């Protein structure tokens, strides 16, 4: 009986994951993901990947992008995807990014988090002692008005 229930849930998962006509697949995958966590992926010997910004991960084109990623991984062109988790605008880790990581892991694609470290206006404002300063002691800003942390601090 347990095997039948397990197979039913796996079949349901695959149905929701691969059904393009469903409008909110991510919701169903998320619900199943809480019940059945995926095992860790083995780290690839060589990494061949692409980069996705947090904005792209939240775009309306994400289903199309996932399909392209799946095709590229089937052709063994890529085995990893770099995703913005924290960029110069701050922390980007939300439900959409979590679902993207979950779907990549389901496709056996190694997700890599990109975290901006030194270009961080929020942290530089909170800890000005760690920020790059001008000769007169003011916080230095780049052309875009962003503050940077001093790597030597």
């Amino acid at each position: 009986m347990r095997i039948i229930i397990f197979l039913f849930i796996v079949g349901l998962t695959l149905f929701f994951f691969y059904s393009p006509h469903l409008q909110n697949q991510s919701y169903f995958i998320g619900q199943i993901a809480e019940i059945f966590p995926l095992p860790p992926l083995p780290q690839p010997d060589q990494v061949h990947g692409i980069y996705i910004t947090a904005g792209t991960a939240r775009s309306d084109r994400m289903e199309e992008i996932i399909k392209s990623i799946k095709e590229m991984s089937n052709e063994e062109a890529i085995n990893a995807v770099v995703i913005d988790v924290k960029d110069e605008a701050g922390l980007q880790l939300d439900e959409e990014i979590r679902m993207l990581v979950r779907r990549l892991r389901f496709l056996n694609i190694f997700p890599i988090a990109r975290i901006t470290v030194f270009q961080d206006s929020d942290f530089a404002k909170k800890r000005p002692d760690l920020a790059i300063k001008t000769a007169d002691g003011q916080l230095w800003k780049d052309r875009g008005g962003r503050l940077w942390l001093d790597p030597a601090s």
Side-chain angles (χ1 to χ4, degrees), residues 8-22:
F8 173 75
I9 292 173
V10 169
L12 192 62
T13 303
L14 293 174
F15 171 77
F16 284 123
F17 189 78
Y18 289 109
S19 297
H21 64 279
L22 293 174

Side-chain angles (χ1 to χ4, degrees), residues 7 17 45 57 61 80 82 88-89 105 110 116 121-122 147 152:
L7 291 175
F17 189 78
D45 294 330
R61 296 183 49 231
V82 178
E88 59 277 356
R105 290 186 64 223
F110 199 75
T116 302
S121 293
D122 291 336
L147 302 173

